[in-house]
Amino acid sequence: LLWLSLNVWLFWKTFLLYNQGLQYYYLHQMLGLGLCVSRASASVLNFNCCLVLLPMCRVLLAFLRGSQKVASRKTRRLLDKSKTFHVTCGVTICIFSVLHVAAHLVNALNFSENYNEEFLALNAANYRGEVSQLSNVNYLMSILVPGLTGVIMVLVLFLMCTASTYAIRVSNYDIFWYTHNLFFVFYMLLMLHVSGGVLKYQTNLEEHPPGCFNPNKTLRQNMTVPKAFEEPFPDYTTEPFPEDLPVPEPFVQNNFMGICSEEPKFQSHFPETWFWISGPLCLYCVERLYRYIRSNKPVTITSVLSHPSNVLEVRMMKDNFKARPGQYVILHCPRVSALESHPFTLTMCPTDTKATFGVHLKVVGDWTERFRDLLLLHSNQDTEILPIFQQRRYPKLYVDGPFGSPFEESLNYEVSLCVAGGIGVTPFASVLNTLLDGWKCYKLRRLYFIWVCRDIESFRWFADLLCMLHNKLWQENRPDYINIQLYLSQTDGIQKIIGEKYQALNSRLLIGRPRWKLLFDEIAKCNRRKTIGVFCCGPNKISKILHKLSNSSNSYGTRFEYNKESFS
């Protein structure tokens, strides 16, 4: 709401300034509404080009999330909307860019059609009707610097926007990644774009009030003065009329407010875009440099495990690497791609007793397929029931991070509901591993863990972890600490997770999909007048249902706060 209000205020303030401002009187007379719309849209573009980079400052967001300076949970939850805010700013830039271009096309036409020989310094055209001449196509680039940079920026923005659509991101992530990095070209062109100085304002308002009467000019135009007297022609009427004399009739009829002492003078604006984007752009560049230095040393891959359903587990070690449960890292393997990198949630965090951390990744695209082929001895081997331990000379792998995510808050609620869909279980794996090491130091006192999968094999990814945590809590006489519910959404009959050690999970395996409304009612009934954190990582369909139920009221006074995984 604050962002929307600032955009509206900036647009309206700038619109009124160029519509009613005395310094733009003559320019407005020449260009009309196109001037106001072009400058107002430019203000909104400056504002959003300033903001669009801030949500991508991952280190800054992780610091704010983990620092005590942001003590409010509600404020920290706003940081989880960073990706949504980035997309919103991007869409706004696209919309107002179209408006800005359309307004400047109108301005180009008005410069030509309203050409005025009295204000040569104000004109961008060379003569009346210049834009209509087919031989003067160069006029549309007036000039050259703002026109040419504007055209290239529109093309860059078009590529970035089209490649950001969901269909392209899913089908070919490489296109999205490479075109999105054209933002640097866009910002460089933006700085050049504002240096043209086509639009000018009047600087001598006191000596030449807009719309004033210049008697020297009128007398010289209407009278033939002998050549001998032309030079010493005095300025008799530079002083205002005496108060006791009536103002001449033409002055009254035309509502002139004053008398000119000189011709109007015009000057180009100092570019304001620098003030808007220099700070965020420098901040982003400094952060990228810091991230490059921090991740410049490759990690040591200790082991690679091949799990069922085409899932790999990579365990690594890195000096001075620290992370909190729920955070994610960005992996970069030069042998897979020189520039491309991808985010993965940590499923195992380093602790005081062990330095190993790990990720689980599902092989679903070109990058993960090439990465798997480099990690495993035989990429086309059949999936075994138990994980396969592979030993070989691993490729260099660089880790950038860790970065914050909503799931860091799961341990800060007294009661948390964690819902995972398929491979979306990875954010909760690090939380479960942390609880296995010790749960008494956290605020969390009850955890509802719901995991929905399409096939029985997927549950084996973290079956051992769930069984160890279940047995540990039983030994400590806290069996009610965690409530595990596993749902198999697609099956031909009753199935079980094979293995004697998985008996604890077989009793919690249900066929079908969760009945979310009944589940929420049951949790609310058992936790009256409490605030429950709801965390979801899975398909959008499940996410929308949980979001809607979290915002609905119940008769038990229980409040649900919704959180969703979103890589920024």
Side-chain angles (χ1 to χ4, degrees):
L1 183 61
L2 176 62
W3 169 84
L4 181 62
S5 301
L6 288 174
N7 276 284
V8 173
W9 177 77
L10 268 176
F11 187 91
W12 185 244
K13 175 179 176 293
T14 310
F15 187 94
L16 291 180
L17 175 64
Y18 281 85
N19 186 54
Q20 301 176 0
L22 295 178
Q23 64 270 43
Y24 305 108
Y25 174 81
Y26 292 111
L27 188 62
H28 183 265
Q29 290 290 319
M30 184 178 296
L31 301 182
L33 189 63
L35 170 67
C36 306
V37 174
S38 64
R39 301 315 303 154
S41 57
S43 295
V44 176
L45 286 172
N46 286 336
F47 180 59
N48 286 275
C49 287
C50 165
L51 295 180
V52 73
L53 286 177
L54 296 180
M56 295 297 101
C57 295
R58 294 184 173 95
V59 175
L60 176 62
L61 294 180
F63 170 76
L64 293 176
R65 188 191 301 276
S67 67
Q68 298 300 321
K69 295 180 180 180
V70 186
S72 171
R73 181 188 295 158
K74 185 176 181 181
T75 304
R76 290 198 300 270
R77 288 176 64 201
L78 289 177
L79 299 177
D80 302 335
K81 307 292 184 181
S82 58
K83 181 182 176 182
T84 303
F85 184 66
H86 173 75
V87 173
T88 304
C89 290
V91 172
T92 304
I93 291 173
C94 294
I95 294 174
F96 280 89
S97 292
V98 173
L99 185 63
H100 184 72
V101 169
H104 270 313
L105 290 176
V106 174
N107 289 339
L109 179 63
N110 287 332
F111 266 130
S112 174
E113 297 300 320
N114 299 330
Y115 180 83
N116 193 333
E117 294 183 355
E118 296 182 9
F119 307 109
L120 295 178
L122 200 61
N123 285 289
N126 296 316
Y127 54 86
R128 184 182 299 275
E130 181 180 6
V131 74
S132 62
Q133 302 295 323
L134 295 177
S135 60
N136 289 307
V137 177
N138 290 335
Y139 168 71
L140 294 177
M141 305 264 169
S142 329
I143 290 151
L144 188 60
V145 172
L148 185 60
T149 55
V151 170
I152 299 176
M153 280 196 297
V154 169
L155 294 177
V156 170
L157 197 60
F158 175 78
L159 290 175
M160 293 176 65
C161 293
T162 52
S164 300
T165 57
Y166 179 78
I168 293 181
R169 282 188 290 115
V170 172
S171 61
N172 197 324
Y173 186 85
D174 292 358
I175 295 177
F176 161 75
W177 196 90
Y178 286 113
T179 55
H180 229 60
N181 279 276
L182 291 174
F183 82 93
F184 188 76
V185 177
F186 179 85
Y187 274 92
M188 294 300 102
L189 290 172
L190 181 60
M191 291 183 180
L192 292 174
H193 178 70
V194 298
S195 62
V198 176
L199 303 179
K200 302 176 182 179
Y201 68 99
Q202 185 183 339
T203 57
N204 57 340
L205 293 176
E206 293 185 1
E207 295 80 5
H208 185 104
C212 66
F213 175 72
N214 192 338
N216 288 337
K217 183 177 180 180
T218 303
L219 288 172
R220 285 175 176 150
Q221 288 177 347
N222 296 334
M223 295 176 59
T224 302
V225 181
K227 195 169 184 179
F229 298 99
E230 188 173 359
E231 291 300 325
F233 192 80
D235 293 338
Y236 291 112
T237 52
T238 56
E239 297 297 327
F241 284 100
E243 295 182 359
D244 56 338
L245 293 178
V247 180
E249 190 65 19
F251 284 51
V252 179
Q253 291 177 355
N254 295 285
N255 296 319
F256 286 123
M257 302 302 297
I259 299 175
C260 311
S261 59
E262 63 183 33
E263 293 297 312
K265 297 178 181 178
F266 301 99
Q267 179 179 327
S268 299
H269 269 294
F270 182 81
E272 297 180 357
T273 303
W274 294 80
F275 296 117
W276 287 97
I277 67 174
S278 57
L281 187 60
C282 290
L283 176 64
Y284 181 80
C285 291
V286 168
E287 186 189 85
R288 288 297 296 263
L289 179 62
Y290 168 74
R291 287 169 52 188
Y292 173 77
I293 296 173
R294 183 178 65 174
S295 61
N296 193 35
K297 186 178 180 180
V299 298
T300 301
I301 300 178
T302 58
S303 63
V304 177
L305 302 174
S306 178
H307 290 286
S309 301
N310 229 4
V311 170
L312 284 181
E313 179 183 358
V314 184
R315 295 182 180 177
M316 301 159 279
M317 294 179 64
K318 183 179 180 181
D319 294 338
N320 301 320
F321 183 84
K322 297 180 180 180
R324 297 187 295 270
Q327 291 187 320
Y328 70 93
V329 294
I330 296 177
L331 301 185
H332 173 58
C333 183
R335 288 183 59 185
V336 176
S337 175
L339 299 175
E340 191 176 346
S341 55
H342 290 273
F344 295 96
T345 306
L346 289 171
T347 53
M348 180 187 298
C349 293
T351 62
D352 295 334
T353 57
K354 67 176 187 299
T356 305
F357 62 96
V359 298
H360 282 64
L361 56 97
K362 192 171 181 65
V363 182
V364 291
D366 296 339
W367 192 92
T368 51
E369 287 178 359
R370 295 195 297 268
F371 189 48
R372 176 198 58 189
D373 294 343
L374 289 172
L375 292 177
L376 299 183
L377 287 172
H378 305 288
S379 60
N380 295 325
Q381 61 189 333
D382 296 331
T383 301
E384 303 273 346
I385 292 177
L386 296 178
I388 302 168
F389 184 77
Q390 303 288 347
Q391 289 185 335
R392 62 170 299 179
R393 185 176 180 84
Y394 298 112
K396 284 187 177 181
L397 182 65
Y398 298 89
V399 173
D400 184 15
F403 304 107
S405 80
F407 300 105
E408 294 182 53
E409 293 294 321
S410 58
L411 297 173
N412 295 329
Y413 287 89
E414 186 177 348
V415 182
S416 290
L417 168 62
C418 298
V419 180
I423 195 61
V425 71
T426 52
F428 307 116
S430 60
V431 175
L432 298 176
N433 268 307
T434 301
L435 295 177
L436 186 62
D437 293 332
W439 54 271
K440 295 181 180 179
C441 58
Y442 298 103
K443 184 179 179 180
L444 184 66
R445 288 298 173 264
R446 181 169 296 175
L447 174 65
Y448 293 89
F449 178 68
I450 315 297
W451 189 7
V452 184
C453 290
R454 292 182 177 179
D455 59 275
I456 194 71
E457 301 293 328
S458 301
F459 291 116
R460 297 197 181 94
W461 300 338
F462 297 104
D464 292 324
L465 173 60
L466 291 172
C467 286
M468 285 189 292
L469 182 59
H470 174 269
N471 295 334
K472 172 184 172 66
L473 293 172
W474 269 86
Q475 292 174 4
E476 296 179 0
N477 198 26
R478 282 301 309 270
D480 60 335
Y481 187 90
I482 183 170
N483 185 325
I484 301 173
Q485 297 183 30
L486 308 178
Y487 288 87
L488 187 60
S489 59
Q490 296 180 3
T491 179
D492 297 329
I494 298 178
Q495 299 185 21
K496 293 184 178 181
I497 304 178
I498 300 174
E500 282 296 325
K501 60 180 179 179
Y502 299 139
Q503 289 302 318
L505 299 183
N506 287 329
S507 62
R508 287 162 173 77
L509 181 60
L510 304 172
I511 306 300
R513 300 178 185 276
R515 303 174 67 180
W516 298 112
K517 182 66 171 65
L518 294 178
L519 180 65
F520 268 69
D521 289 340
E522 183 65 25
I523 294 176
K525 183 179 179 180
C526 296
N527 302 275
R528 298 172 184 266
R529 293 180 294 278
K530 291 184 179 180
T531 300
I532 300 176
V534 181
F535 301 87
C536 174
C537 186
N540 284 331
K541 186 177 180 181
I542 296 179
S543 177
K544 291 178 180 178
I545 295 173
L546 297 182
H547 196 180
K548 182 178 179 181
L549 290 173
S550 297
N551 292 332
S552 61
S553 58
N554 57 78
S555 58
Y556 305 104
T558 306
R559 180 186 174 192
F560 293 92
E561 290 186 350
Y562 178 77
N563 303 268
K564 182 180 181 297
E565 173 69 297
S566 176
F567 289 124
S568 60

